[in-house]
Amino acid sequence: MAELTMIEAINEAMRQEMERDPRIIVLGEDVGENGGVFRATDGLLAQFGEGRVFDTPLAESGIIGTSIGLAINGMRPIAEIQFLGFVYQAMDQLAAQAARIRFRSAGRFSCPIVVRSPYGGGVRTPELHSDALEALFTHSPGLKVVMPSNPYDAKGLLISAIRDEDPVLFLEPMKLYRAFRMEVPEEPYTIPLGQARVVKEGDDVTIIAWGATVPLAAKVAAEMQAKGVNAEVIDLRCLQPLDIDAILASVEKTGRVMIVHEAVKTGGFGAEVAALISERALFALSAPIVRIAGYDTPYPVPSVEDDWLPNAERIVEGIETLLRY
Amino acid sequence: MFDPDQLSVEVVQILDENGNGDERQLAAFSDEWLLRAYREMRRARVIDERLLRMQRQGRIGTYAPFSGQEAAQIGSALALHKDDWIFPSYREVAVCLMHGMPLEQFFHYVQGRLSGKRMPEGVNIFPTQIIIAAQTLHAVGCAWASKLKGEPHVSVAYFGDGATSEGDFHEAMNFAAVYNVPVIFFCQNNQYAISVPYRKQTASRTIAQKALAYGMKGVLVDGNDVLAVYETMKQAVEAARRGEGPMLIEALTYRLGPHTTADDPTKYRRPEEVETWRAKDPLRRLRLLLERRGLWTEAQEEALVAQVNDEVTAAYEAAIASKSGSIVDAFDCVYSEAPKLLAEQKDEVMRRKQRSGVR
Ligand SMILES: Cc1ncc(C[n+]2csc(CCOP(=O)(O)OP(=O)(O)O)c2C)c(N)n1
């Protein structure tokens, strides 16, 4: 088995799926010759040619809007939004058009597109390159929202996303693109959308995370283990559909919950998870739910982003707070 | 240097306001075709007027009338094949009926029923678009897919003059020309975007000329002349089918009624202006031609109007007699398969329904 980075795993998923299904096309800014600014689409143009891989004009709404038309007329587009902060340009086409086509046509048309986008901080990008905006889209019925946290999951989830009949927003944590390598099976495989993964079992506290914060949560949990705290870490992998059963099973076991995400705290998806737990497992809780998240400011400048992002210190403090109850 | 004042503006016209035209050009249209075009336009007008009245009577919801735009809509739709794709806004009722939307289905729509959203299989019409200009991109993507698949189908985006100010319109024009796809941008310039007149919408003298900047052909056609619209559209469609790429057509027309049934046009336009345009009514001029040729009489007119009125009544009654659908159905068309939390919400609604049914 090859050891791949996340970006290599993503590339492999697209390549293998394009080999399998001639309806799949890739489009976006700089995805052709350049292979994507992060090289996610490297080599696809050379292998599949100009009839399958398109360097589009610089227009996000155009990329998503035409993908919708392509999809309803039988193609399976994989569109790239170069950085998630630019998704606002295409907000209507994603949230109001792609997400709702099945509904708007009462089931006559579906919109099987995948929109891939790098997101997230810690890599010193310019303004509006690092924002974690997943909550905007979990609030848009009809979209699926997938956020992998390692190379193995990235490949399996992306293949599932490509084969899915619904529009999927596939958010790739930029920071993890090349952060580590992992064994990834060469043959195509799928991970069902909507199945969380237990990263580490434990029975003292539950840490729920997704995307970029998963390795951080896992690292802190491993360190706490040495101090006698047995934390369970759950990687949601998918926010929509959400694996509520995995969340509840863990909450019932530990009674203490921490949610860790990068997006700003107010209105973040963590609030949704906390609300669901309070609706369904309030009496299993021994302590108030703790949320560790980005602060309620726009994503800050590089010199201070490390103090803005959730970090080990804040997670440890949060766990200590939970355990004091 | 390009000087906008130096651009020549030619309007394609075949039939003038009094139903006269160059005999050689007119000879291209058979009596049968002329009658068909007239019948379709008259049918559309009767339907539009009835729908307007039914809204006033509270029998249907908000409605966007199209009277005055029949030639633009029917003329363009007549030039399409059944397999071609249509991406309408909310005002293209005549286009959609012409392209295969059953009238009964439209009643479901204006009554706010879920069933009104679903076009029958085989009718290639995209759902009514409310977001201005969003459909222009869908049409381009659809045409792009036709090209990639090697299918000879053309996609048509319908929109108004106001839509040409939206970003999506410009992105669509650009993509279409760059990829040379078989799409037609059909703008019905009815002079107003709700209350905003053309001169406040854009500073370019015509919409058609905007095509130049994107590298495609643009045509300005008298949108109240069904012959000219048909001929222009036919040429655009044939060119697109031959692989010659997209075209922008501006059909110069006028919306005689309000923007929607929630709008009062007397607040923003003078009655004299409306009267000027009434004289250019697309139905009147074709009828003058037909009468002069002895093809149409008042008795035929009355019979047609009565027949369409019956058709409308029947469609309306069939729509209200059918099941109105339930919120439960709404849960089934959000995802291909409902996620667990959505399925739970559906169950909750069904339980509530069953309980109230028992009570
Ligand atoms: C994005 C968006 N902004 C505003 C509106 C509200 N609105 C509905 S119709 C309309 C005017 C559109 O005018 P035009 O494009 O000329 O089409 P017409 O109604 O004349 O056919 C506006 C502003 C909307 N539906 N969508």
Side-chain angles (χ1 to χ4, degrees):
Chain A
M1 233 186 287
E3 295 241 319
L4 301 185
T5 61
M6 185 185 282
I7 201 84
E8 288 163 350
I10 287 168
N11 181 271
E12 185 166 287
M14 284 191 278
R15 185 164 48 73
Q16 292 179 343
E17 284 300 281
M18 289 179 82
E19 282 166 354
R20 180 187 63 82
D21 184 348
R23 299 172 304 167
I24 298 172
I25 60 168
V26 164
L27 69 164
E29 292 156 18
D30 304 297
V31 299
E33 287 304 341
N34 197 30
V37 291
F38 290 99
R39 303 289 173 270
T41 53
D42 215 16
L44 298 183
L45 177 64
Q47 184 176 347
F48 299 101
E50 290 194 341
R52 304 277 303 274
V53 180
F54 299 91
D55 271 328
T56 64
L58 188 44
E60 288 73 18
S61 189
I63 293 165
I64 308 297
T66 53
S67 293
I68 292 169
L70 283 157
I72 54 130
N73 197 3
M75 305 305 287
R76 312 279 297 198
I78 306 175
E80 180 175 298
I81 295 294
Q82 204 157 55
F83 289 90
L84 191 59
F86 311 151
V87 83
Y88 293 111
Q89 306 288 112
M91 204 62 203
D92 173 59
Q93 290 295 348
L94 249 182
Q97 306 292 329
R100 299 168 63 117
I101 280 188
R102 185 180 293 280
F103 192 77
R104 283 181 52 222
S105 64
R108 163 85 194 274
F109 298 110
S110 61
C111 188
I113 68 177
V114 177
V115 178
R116 295 178 36 253
S117 184
Y119 87 96
V123 290
R124 310 280 182 264
T125 61
E127 192 184 2
L128 275 166
H129 282 64
S130 295
D131 296 52
L133 303 173
E134 65 269 21
L136 296 178
F137 299 98
T138 56
H139 205 61
S140 300
L143 280 180
K144 292 180 176 168
V145 180
V146 181
M147 299 174 79
S149 70
N150 63 61
Y152 177 87
D153 283 3
K155 179 172 174 183
L157 290 168
L158 183 53
I159 292 179
S160 290
I162 292 169
R163 296 181 187 178
D164 201 279
E165 285 305 315
D166 295 315
V168 180
L169 184 61
F170 194 84
L171 299 179
E172 302 163 1
M174 232 183 286
K175 191 178 171 165
L176 303 187
Y177 267 157
R178 294 189 169 80
F180 55 95
R181 289 183 177 274
M182 194 174 181
E183 289 206 334
V184 174
E186 203 137 312
E187 64 281 2
Y189 58 94
T190 58
I191 296 172
L193 304 186
Q195 253 181 37
R197 176 175 67 101
V198 179
V199 182
K200 172 185 173 303
E201 295 201 29
D203 44 27
D204 292 335
V205 293
T206 297
I207 306 178
I208 299 169
W210 52 89
T213 56
V214 173
L216 172 68
K219 181 166 162 277
V220 175
E223 285 164 11
M224 296 293 276
Q225 190 77 39
K227 296 184 201 156
V229 178
N230 198 4
E232 178 146 298
V233 180
I234 294 182
D235 176 359
L236 290 183
R237 298 201 286 201
C238 250
L239 304 189
Q240 178 66 271
L242 180 68
D243 192 348
I244 184 69
D245 295 337
I247 294 172
L248 295 179
S250 183
V251 173
E252 300 282 352
K253 183 163 67 167
T254 67
R256 291 181 169 80
V257 182
M258 168 189 284
I259 300 162
V260 190
H261 65 65
E262 263 198 57
V264 295
K265 187 171 183 180
T266 298
F269 193 73
E272 180 60 35
V273 174
L276 280 166
I277 293 169
S278 74
E279 277 178 0
R280 290 161 195 246
L282 182 66
F283 298 109
L285 292 177
S286 319
I289 295 169
V290 168
R291 281 183 289 158
I292 309 289
Y295 297 112
D296 288 348
T297 72
Y299 195 90
V301 293
S303 61
V304 299
E305 66 181 308
D306 290 344
D307 290 330
W308 186 91
L309 286 166
N311 57 25
E313 185 190 338
R314 284 167 67 194
I315 295 175
V316 170
E317 249 176 55
I319 293 175
E320 283 165 355
T321 306
L322 280 168
L323 292 174
R324 268 201 298 277
Y325 280 89
Chain B
M1 193 177 95
F2 285 109
D3 178 349
D5 292 330
Q6 298 296 311
L7 283 173
S8 68
V9 176
E10 284 165 36
V11 186
V12 181
Q13 190 190 62
I14 295 177
L15 201 60
D16 74 10
E17 287 159 45
N18 300 312
N20 297 316
D22 179 85
E23 285 305 326
R24 278 221 329 279
Q25 274 185 308
L26 288 179
F29 297 90
S30 67
D31 289 351
E32 197 190 352
W33 190 93
L34 294 173
L35 277 167
R36 172 155 190 237
Y38 182 75
R39 285 176 169 278
E40 292 294 348
M41 287 202 292
R42 172 53 70 193
R43 173 173 182 255
R45 174 73 56 93
V46 172
I47 291 170
D48 190 61
E49 287 173 348
R50 270 292 286 283
L51 286 163
L52 203 57
R53 278 204 303 282
M54 292 173 101
Q55 196 281 336
R56 303 288 185 223
Q57 296 159 347
R59 295 207 275 175
I60 62 170
T62 310
Y63 173 66
F66 58 82
S67 277
Q69 303 181 208
E70 291 88 347
Q73 296 202 17
I74 297 294
S76 59
L78 277 170
L80 298 174
H81 289 176
K82 180 154 182 9
D83 288 335
D84 292 330
W85 285 84
I86 284 178
F87 293 77
S89 79
Y90 43 79
R91 206 182 295 288
E92 279 73 41
V93 182
V95 172
C96 294
L97 291 170
M98 191 77 240
H99 205 61
M101 175 181 72
L103 184 56
E104 183 188 330
Q105 138 119 24
F106 187 66
F107 273 113
H108 288 257
Y109 181 79
V110 282
Q111 288 206 305
R113 295 156 174 246
L114 215 53
S115 46
K117 290 168 162 289
R118 193 183 171 105
M119 270 315 149
E121 293 302 322
V123 177
N124 287 346
I125 304 177
F126 217 55
T128 298
Q129 180 62 257
I130 295 299
I131 297 301
I132 302 299
Q135 76 276 17
T136 56
L137 283 166
H138 306 161
V140 173
C142 185
W144 190 356
S146 295
K147 181 176 174 176
L148 289 171
K149 293 193 291 180
E151 289 171 354
H153 308 153
V154 170
S155 298
V156 187
Y158 282 92
F159 52 92
D161 42 308
T164 67
S165 300
E166 287 278 4
D168 277 358
F169 165 75
H170 298 279
E171 297 189 19
M173 294 278 286
N174 193 46
F175 269 67
V178 167
Y179 294 117
N180 199 46
V181 301
V183 70
I184 303 201
F185 296 96
F186 192 90
C187 177
Q188 293 178 77
N189 179 358
N190 66 6
Q191 316 297 327
Y192 287 90
I194 308 189
S195 66
V196 179
Y198 181 76
R199 75 191 145 74
K200 286 191 184 172
Q201 192 66 244
T202 173
S204 75
R205 275 211 289 164
T206 67
I207 285 165
Q209 75 195 53
K210 291 179 193 283
L212 291 181
Y214 297 97
M216 73 172 81
K217 284 188 188 147
V219 188
L220 178 61
V221 58
D222 180 342
N224 285 11
D225 172 358
V226 70
L227 276 54
V229 172
Y230 172 77
E231 203 48 47
T232 304
M233 186 71 168
K234 201 171 103 193
Q235 282 173 24
V237 168
E238 282 169 2
R241 255 194 252 291
R242 282 195 302 269
E244 291 168 25
M247 200 185 293
L248 170 64
I249 297 175
E250 174 184 5
L252 210 56
T253 183
Y254 195 78
R255 145 169 71 75
L256 291 169
H259 168 71
T260 67
T261 45
D263 170 55
D264 173 11
T266 61
K267 277 164 73 178
Y268 55 84
R269 61 187 195 187
R270 288 170 297 113
E272 306 88 84
E273 180 187 295
V274 185
E275 284 320 306
T276 317
W277 278 94
R278 255 184 220 292
K280 303 182 190 185
D281 190 310
L283 273 67
R284 182 177 160 271
R285 63 173 83 174
L286 183 53
R287 188 171 166 182
L288 288 173
L289 174 71
L290 292 177
E291 284 175 350
R292 213 172 38 248
R293 292 194 178 177
L295 295 170
W296 195 250
T297 61
E298 186 56 32
Q300 278 173 297
E301 177 91 1
E302 279 167 21
L304 175 62
V305 170
Q307 178 204 320
V308 177
N309 265 314
D310 289 348
E311 185 197 349
V312 173
T313 306
Y316 173 72
E317 281 171 1
I320 52 169
S322 70
K323 255 184 68 216
S324 94
S326 135
I327 180 68
V328 176
D329 307 332
F331 291 97
D332 294 334
C333 41
V334 183
Y335 294 94
S336 53
E337 215 175 299
K340 182 181 164 74
L341 293 173
L342 187 65
E344 280 182 19
Q345 292 177 9
K346 179 180 171 183
D347 288 344
E348 178 198 320
V349 171
M350 292 208 309
R351 274 199 312 278
R352 199 179 302 287
K353 285 232 158 215
Q354 269 158 14
R355 264 208 317 270
S356 58
V358 168
R359 232 185 278 143

